[in-house]
Amino acid sequence: MGVDKKPGSIVHLGAGALSGVTSCVLLQPFDLVKTRLQQQGSGGRGISAITKTVQNIIMTDGARGLWRGTVPSLIRNAPGTSLYFYFLNHTKGFCLTAERRLARDPTRVKISATGNMIIGASSRAFAGFLLMPGTVLKVQYESSLYRYTGILGAVNEIWRKGGMRGFFIGAVPTAIRDAPYAGLYLLLYEAIKSQERAIAQKKNMLLAETTVTMVAGVAAGLAASYITQPFDMVKTRMQLCPQDYRTVLQSFGKIFSEESFHGFFRGISLRVLRKGIQASLVFTLYEWVLRTSAHKSNSSSNSNVPGPSARLKA
């Protein structure tokens, strides 16, 4: 009998990169329009504002303009998603070992809800900080306030205006947004998956694993996006207009005083829709790659196990 092999670190990195690139290219228009909406200090909200923004982009840059900033997004999201899943995989191992010791139960196989929240938050925060320069480049490239014509030109301009510090503008609100988002997401994602499987088992239904991950991904992504939206708005404003939005608290106060509470939720529908689809797509692709890799690895191991006649000859 072959021994089940867990996918190695390279597989986790590769699976994360594949899911990150796929979601980034497909969903870039959502991100672009959200950034354009959030850069505005005033204007309409809802479908009319989204429609007007899309029309302006197409009139100025054509349909291709909706994918402006795709390259900076790839620079940020491909390694970012890859690193996130890499850290996620290793942190899960550490957390499970710690919980087994605390509970004095070496047979424990499930991580607690608190553990999932800590794992998601710490993995996202660490990966997000390392890729912060890519985040600043991506947001400014998507904005109409900056008309960069190339990646190197954008990098040089950011460096000229702010030095190394310029690449880490908005790091605090980004961390405050990403860590709770990822923690809440992983907590909800694992809980929803467990509920889906329990319901399917209770009703004697055959539920495909892809369906389980997609439904859990969308639901968890929607909920976590709404909760962390104000920090996304503050992050975007600080990265686009650092001269006007200098600190996290000052930015919160400025947005609230000028645009009221609703100002924090500018672009929320696009972010929620994008995050829900992205989370579902990313985790579904990631887990599919891991299952495929594990299946091939186990098949290869089983084929190398000698049969009875071979063992007798030996």
Side-chain angles (χ1 to χ4, degrees), residues 204-264:
N204 201 23
M205 293 168 54
L206 184 62
L207 203 58
E209 190 62 24
T210 303
T211 303
V212 172
T213 55
M214 287 192 75
V215 171
V218 169
L222 292 176
S225 295
Y226 262 108
I227 294 168
T228 58
Q229 170 64 18
F231 296 102
D232 185 66
M233 170 59 87
V234 170
K235 172 203 78 82
T236 302
R237 290 288 177 85
M238 287 183 71
Q239 290 173 343
L240 292 179
C241 305
Q243 69 279 5
D244 297 323
Y245 299 88
R246 298 179 297 278
T247 67
V248 176
L249 290 177
Q250 181 263 342
S251 299
F252 265 105
K254 183 175 175 62
I255 293 170
F256 183 76
S257 63
E258 294 179 357
E259 303 169 51
S260 78
F261 181 73
H262 296 292
F264 292 108

Side-chain angles (χ1 to χ4, degrees), residues 1-8 290-291 293-302 305:
M1 180 182 290
V3 179
D4 285 352
K5 291 185 177 181
K6 290 185 177 180
L290 294 191
R291 288 196 301 270
S293 174
H295 177 72
K296 287 183 178 179
S297 179
N298 291 334
S299 297
S300 176
S301 297
N302 290 336
V305 175

Side-chain angles (χ1 to χ4, degrees), residues 306-314:
S309 58
R311 285 198 292 267
L312 286 173
K313 287 179 183 177

Side-chain angles (χ1 to χ4, degrees), residues 33 37 44-55 267 269-270 273:
V33 177
L37 286 171
R45 291 193 295 269
I47 298 297
S48 61
I50 294 171
T51 304
K52 187 178 179 180
T53 302
V54 171
Q55 288 174 343
S269 57
L270 287 166
L273 186 59

